[in-house]
Structures are given as C-alpha cells and as structure tokens.
Amino acid sequence: MRMTTEEAFVKVLQMHGIDNAFGIIGSAFMPISDLFPKAGITFWDCAHEGSGGMMADGFTRASGRMCMMIAQNGPGITNFVTAVKTAYWNHTPLLLVTPQAANRTMGQGGFQEVEQMALFKDMVCYQEEVRDPNRVAEVLNRVILNAKRHSAPAQINMPRDYFTQVIDIDLPAVVEFERPSGGEAAMAEAAALLSSAKFPVILNGAGVVIGGAIPASIALAERLSAPVCVGYQHNDAFPGSHPLFAGPLGYNGSKAGMELISKADVVLALGTRLNPFSTLPGYGLDYWPKEAKIIQVDINPARIGLTKRVTVGILGDAKKVAEGILARLSSAAGDAGRKDRLDLIATTKSRWAQQLASMDHEDDDPGTSWNERARAAKPDWMSPRMAWRAIESALPKEAIISSDIGNNCAIGNAYPTFEKGRKYLAPGLFGPCGYGLPAIVGAKIACPDTPVVGFAGDGAFGIAVTELTAIGRPEWPAITMVVFRNYQWGAEKRNSTLWYDDNFVGTELDTQVSYAGIARACGLQGVQAKTMDELRAALSKAITDQMEHGKTTLIEALINQELGEPFRRDAMKKPVAVAGISKADMRPQVV
C-alpha cells in the first residue's frame, strides 16, 4: 500500500488502539500530530514533559490501556527521563516515541541534538531506531509488542527527516504471545510445599494487579486459610475488607502483616520481584522469615531469586500460576492449624487496627526532640496521622488515589485499602518527587467516571505545580488534589535530625507561598484546611464538585512539622569528623 511515513506510523498506533498521547508539541513530530484528530488520538499537552510522562504512567496503571509519550527531540525528550525510569520500575507498558535530530546533521552538534538511544538504554525494556523510512511500521509494531510483553516502557527513535516521505509498505501483523503458566515440575513442587505448610502466607505484588490475578489469589488464600500481605505501595493487590488481608509490608506498612509473615514456614511470593526496599524492617521488626520456604512467581526470569533465597522459582503469569497451584493442592491443604491460624490472623489484625487508630503523633529517637518541639510550636494544627485519618473517613471506596514520595505521604502507607486493583498509584521504587499530581490527572483521563484524589507533600508538589497552568483548560478533566503543607522537605529533615544534629541544610520552604492561591490564580478551586473536621468536609465537597460539577480543587492541608520514620535507616549513619572543615580554608576563585 502506498502511503506516507507518518500515515504508516499512525495506522500502526490505530492497530494497537493507542488513542492517547502525552507531551508538549514540537516541530519534530508535527507530521504525526497533524493526523491525531483525524485518527481519533487525543494529545494532552502538559506544562512539562516530565509531568506528562507521569500522566502517561497514571493513565496506563489506572486503566491497563497503553498510551504514548512524545515530545520535541533533544530537550523535550530529555525531560522524559525521570518519568520513563519511574514507569520502568512500576512495570507500566508505555510507548516512548523519541523523534531524533535529522540524519544528515547527526554528529555535528546541531540544534537540539542528543544521543537519545544511549539516554534510555537502562530505562526501557526494548528500544529500536528506524534505519530506513520503509521500516517505520515494522519497527513501531515491534516496539509496542515488546512493551506489552515485558510490561514496561519501550522506545522507538525516529530521525525527523524520515517523516513526510512516500513509501510502499505492508502493515505488519499484531502477534500476541500467550503468557506462560509455570513449568510442570515447579508447579508440582510449589503445590506440595503449600499443601504441607503449617503456616502458609501469600505475598501479592504488582504482577497480581497487572495480571488480573486478585480473584485467583483470593481463591488460593481461602483454600489455605493463608494471610495475604501485599508489597510496598501495592495496597490494591488484595481486597482490604477481606478477613485474610494482612496489609502492606515495608516502610510504614502494616505491623499485622509483618508479624504474620514472620511466622510463615512457606511464602508464596506472587507476581513480585521481592525488591529489597519492600522487605526492610519496620516498627523495629526484622520480620522476613529467614527459614521459610520461598516460592517466587515472576514473569521475568532474571528477577527470580535476585534478592531473596528462593526454594522454588516459577516463570509465569500470576493469575495462571495461582489457578494452577490451586488445582494441584492436596485435599488436606491448609488443614494443619487452620482454626488457630485464622484466630491469630483476626487477633493480630484487630490489635494493629486499634494501635493504628490511636497513633496521633510521631515518636522521637533517643537523643532527639524535633517532634516534641514541632507539637509545642503548633499545638492547634493537625499532625500528619490526624490528616490521614480524616482523609480515610472521607474517601469513597471506589476512588483511585495517587501518592507522591516524601515523609507525609509515606506516613499514610498503612491507611488506604481498596476492594479492586488499579486503584493505588504510587511513585514506586525509583522514588521520584512530583508524581502525585500528574499521575492522578492521567488516571482521571483514563477513568473519567471514577473519583480521583492525588496526594503530595509541599516540597514534592512544588516540582509539579506548573501543571496547574495546564489542567484548568476546558478539555482537561476535573481532579482533586491534597497537598500536605508543613513548609519543609520532611524526609530529608528527619535525616538531618537523626544524623546531623538539626543542621537543616536545604530543608526549609517558603512560608509565604500559598498553593491554594496558585490554584485559584489558575482558575481552579483552592482551599485550606487546618483541622480534621475542615479537611474531611473540604475533601467531601471537592469530590462532589469533581464528579457532579466538573471542578478541580486543590486542598492545602495545614499540618504541624512532625516527622515520621526515615526512609533509609539501613543506609545512613552518624558522621565522624576526622580532618575537620573550616571556613578559613575557602579560597577565592580567580576569574
């Protein structure tokens, strides 16, 4: 068939149903974007490409549908770096389109030239450059298929002078692979281990959400009467109301989950790479069961046994493997200690729920007093935990929420629960600041009939605040955003308190800035809440305004400066002066 290269490009997008693109308009891809309206592709022109990439991540994580990131070659593409790496560790299948400087000038250091393939080498699951205009459809099709197969971003690099060329081309076929269901021997061994276990525990990861395996994991858990923990930032990987749900492991997670998995003799790690941060000690508990038999299920063989000693590794789709193990269990599976196990699950969960509900304030480490001073400085202000309890009481059960990185969002890790998957969007293990706002915008675009609420600390929100200038336009959907306002970079301030004697370098924010005021200046609703009642009422109204009146609201939740657990007790230590540092040694530069 005779067509232009841009027509071939867009026809392949249509073959795969990729109908949403995020980025900032640029001349390098105008031959494609000119066809977007005719093709049924919506282009979401954000305020910054980094945020646009995180919108794409939120869109696909909330819906399961692939979308596209695209921008001007050079600086537009380099702005995608953080978002692409974030999506990589969130296991999000995205199409990264990187228009390249023209072939005829490459290597001359021309305008907006950079090595875009090298830039993303360890950030995508697959990348390919178009080497000939006639191959554009073939390459794009392969890139999209690899993104789907590996559940990660994949990159097509296209020299801009390859557009607006007329070619003879046959559009490629879409060849989908059936996901593996686990090897026969490994499945039999896993079923035998779980059948004879006295205290089996299931640990659900992102693969359970991505693979639609929650119902299969419920059936398996109920058959074994096994408590189900979830990985860090994967609170939506099992229904929160289920009596077997034990909560999230890892940083500021569920103490009940940690106590229960510590008793396991067999752990089924389902759809999780068992990343090191997700199993760090919490609440003073080094809970990982070092003598337990570990069955790890992952779609990527390179990640099985990478971080933990594994007894059985199963390469396969989480849903198919869970169903296969269930079918292979013995008739007596789960019977050993079943009643005692169920009683222990119930009492452990109840004890933790009571403890969590009574946690109003953050403790100080011995020898430090910042949290005590923070409470005394603002005795009438909410603590972060008070704010989270107010939020928890106002959030609709069907809501999608996003969280940013930072101390106040991290304090909330143990609070939100969900009945379905694809409801909790967190920055993941790359840990970028500035994720909460753009991710929830992407989620709302993907799921317009679902209430959405984003959360961020004021430091992290400052990185994405420019998106308020974009999302107020008529074509953008309404969202609700909560910003925890305590005028500090809290996570780093806690580090400074613990290890650097309150030497607060770079931790303080401008107290004169009002994010609610900025929202109003952008034509949005901006309100402040100083008490739990005010926050609860403001959030309820904001969600009503979002769903019934199409209005976006930013809520500044004014909280005191208490600081929760540091992110990395395992990676920090008290410095020791040896040579000593003095201002007197500073020399003036010679210019």
Side-chain angles (χ1 to χ4, degrees):
M1 185 184 299
R2 196 159 179 81
M3 65 183 73
T4 65
T5 45
E6 56 267 27
E7 288 171 336
F9 196 103
V10 169
K11 285 180 181 295
V12 173
L13 295 179
Q14 290 178 311
M15 283 167 47
H16 288 274
I18 296 176
D19 57 1
N20 283 267
F22 295 85
I24 293 179
I25 194 66
S27 61
F29 68 94
M30 277 188 175
I32 311 174
S33 61
D34 179 59
L35 300 176
F36 283 174
K38 292 179 182 177
I41 297 170
T42 303
F43 181 64
W44 299 96
D45 48 333
C46 55
H48 188 280
E49 291 94 347
S51 292
M54 292 179 188
M55 289 178 189
D57 186 66
F59 177 99
T60 294
R61 290 179 69 189
S63 66
R65 306 196 310 272
M66 270 188 70
C67 60
M68 174 171 59
M69 304 161 61
I70 189 167
Q72 178 72 2
N73 61 273
I77 296 303
T78 62
N79 282 344
F80 275 143
V81 167
T82 298
V84 172
K85 191 64 175 183
T86 298
Y88 180 84
W89 284 122
N90 282 337
H91 317 292
T92 308
L94 294 175
L95 172 60
L96 172 62
V97 180
T98 57
Q100 177 63 284
N103 265 339
R104 63 179 176 271
T105 60
M106 279 293 288
Q108 295 180 345
F111 185 59
Q112 296 181 325
E113 179 184 327
V114 70
E115 288 290 342
Q116 294 176 174
M117 292 287 279
L119 188 68
F120 292 100
K121 183 178 179 181
D122 75 335
M123 300 184 186
V124 295
C125 66
Y126 182 82
Q127 59 179 182
E128 188 171 350
E129 186 170 82
V130 179
R131 300 297 179 90
D132 185 279
N134 292 282
R135 296 183 61 191
V136 58
E138 165 212 334
V139 173
L140 178 57
N141 185 58
R142 185 160 49 247
V143 168
I144 293 170
L145 289 174
N146 272 285
K148 291 179 179 178
R149 290 166 185 168
H150 295 281
S151 197
Q155 176 192 9
I156 178 171
N157 203 57
M158 176 91 168
R160 60 181 296 169
D161 52 343
Y162 280 1
F163 288 121
T164 63
Q165 299 198 28
V166 178
I167 56 176
D168 285 308
I169 194 168
D170 291 325
L171 293 176
V174 177
V175 180
E176 301 282 3
F177 288 172
E178 187 176 0
R179 289 182 176 270
S181 54
E184 191 60 39
M187 292 288 283
E189 187 177 356
L193 283 174
L194 288 167
S195 293
S196 61
K198 294 180 174 59
F199 205 102
V201 176
I202 298 173
L203 172 56
N204 281 0
V208 172
V209 176
I210 295 167
I214 293 175
S217 73
I218 292 173
L220 187 56
E222 290 176 346
R223 177 71 175 81
L224 295 169
S225 295
V228 180
C229 303
V230 295
Y232 175 65
Q233 296 186 342
H234 298 306
N235 300 36
D236 59 347
F238 202 78
S241 63
H242 198 287
L244 292 173
F245 181 57
L249 300 182
Y251 179 58
N252 276 337
S254 164
K255 192 173 180 180
M258 297 174 193
E259 290 178 352
L260 288 167
I261 200 170
S262 71
K263 301 179 185 303
D265 59 344
V266 179
V267 174
L268 173 62
L270 187 60
T272 171
R273 63 188 178 92
L274 291 174
N275 69 79
F277 190 77
S278 287
T279 53
L280 286 177
Y283 308 105
L285 300 173
D286 188 5
Y287 55 84
W288 187 255
K290 297 177 178 60
E291 302 303 317
K293 306 289 187 184
I294 309 298
I295 305 163
Q296 186 181 1
V297 181
D298 200 288
I299 200 72
N300 185 341
R303 291 174 182 160
I304 295 176
L306 184 63
T307 63
K308 299 291 184 187
R309 177 181 56 81
V310 170
T311 308
V312 181
I314 301 177
L315 174 63
D317 171 79
K319 179 182 178 183
K320 290 184 175 181
V321 170
E323 291 172 343
I325 289 175
L326 179 61
R328 290 170 170 84
L329 291 176
S330 72
S331 59
D335 287 350
R338 189 185 297 271
K339 183 180 184 305
D340 290 342
R341 190 164 59 252
L342 289 171
D343 289 345
L344 182 62
I345 293 169
T347 56
T348 305
K349 286 181 61 176
S350 176
R351 184 170 62 248
W352 168 239
Q354 292 176 42
Q355 183 179 350
L356 186 62
S358 66
M359 291 168 69
D360 281 340
H361 299 290
E362 303 305 310
D363 294 331
D364 281 309
D365 276 57
T368 68
S369 61
W370 175 261
N371 287 331
E372 181 183 350
R373 285 178 279 153
R375 288 190 290 273
K378 291 183 171 62
D380 298 328
W381 286 39
M382 286 181 289
S383 70
R385 290 191 182 275
M386 291 175 182
W388 273 109
R389 289 213 305 274
I391 290 162
E392 192 179 28
S393 66
L395 272 178
K397 275 296 178 186
E398 71 275 17
I400 298 172
I401 74 169
S402 70
S403 177
D404 220 304
I405 222 64
N407 200 253
N408 291 314
C409 285
I411 286 171
N413 281 344
Y415 291 88
T417 62
F418 308 89
E419 297 308 303
K420 296 180 179 179
R422 300 194 180 277
K423 294 290 188 179
Y424 187 36
L425 312 178
L429 269 294
F430 192 54
C433 289
Y435 182 84
L437 173 61
I440 209 62
V441 172
K444 186 66 175 183
I445 291 169
C447 307
D449 298 325
T450 303
V452 303
V453 184
F455 297 95
D458 45 8
F461 183 75
I463 292 175
V465 67
T466 51
E467 294 310 316
L468 297 182
T469 67
I471 65 174
R473 288 172 288 176
E475 65 270 22
W476 289 73
I479 58 106
T480 301
M481 188 71 202
V482 176
V483 179
F484 298 109
R485 197 72 170 110
N486 60 2
Y487 311 102
Q488 62 187 2
W489 285 100
E492 309 314 328
K493 196 164 185 175
R494 181 70 191 243
N495 293 338
S496 301
T497 294
L498 280 175
W499 291 290
Y500 296 97
D501 300 319
D502 288 1
N503 184 25
F504 300 134
V505 177
T507 61
E508 308 309 297
L509 299 175
D510 190 347
T511 59
Q512 299 181 81
V513 172
S514 167
Y515 285 134
I518 293 173
R520 290 193 294 271
C522 293
L524 310 173
Q525 297 187 143
V527 298
Q528 288 187 334
K530 298 179 181 179
T531 67
M532 291 178 69
D533 287 341
E534 287 180 2
L535 179 54
R536 193 180 295 112
L539 183 53
S540 295
K541 182 180 183 301
I543 292 170
T544 299
D545 283 345
Q546 176 194 147
M547 300 304 295
E548 297 181 11
H549 307 296
K551 293 182 178 180
T552 288
T553 306
L554 183 144
I555 302 169
E556 271 190 302
L558 302 180
I559 58 176
N560 67 24
Q561 292 193 316
E562 287 183 62
L563 299 168
E565 271 287 295
F567 275 94
R568 298 303 304 272
R569 284 190 186 273
D570 64 315
M572 304 284 289
K573 63 181 181 180
K574 193 82 170 174
V576 178
V578 179
I581 299 294
S582 170
K583 287 183 181 179
D585 295 332
M586 178 62 72
R587 297 181 181 181
Q589 293 186 35
V590 178
V591 180

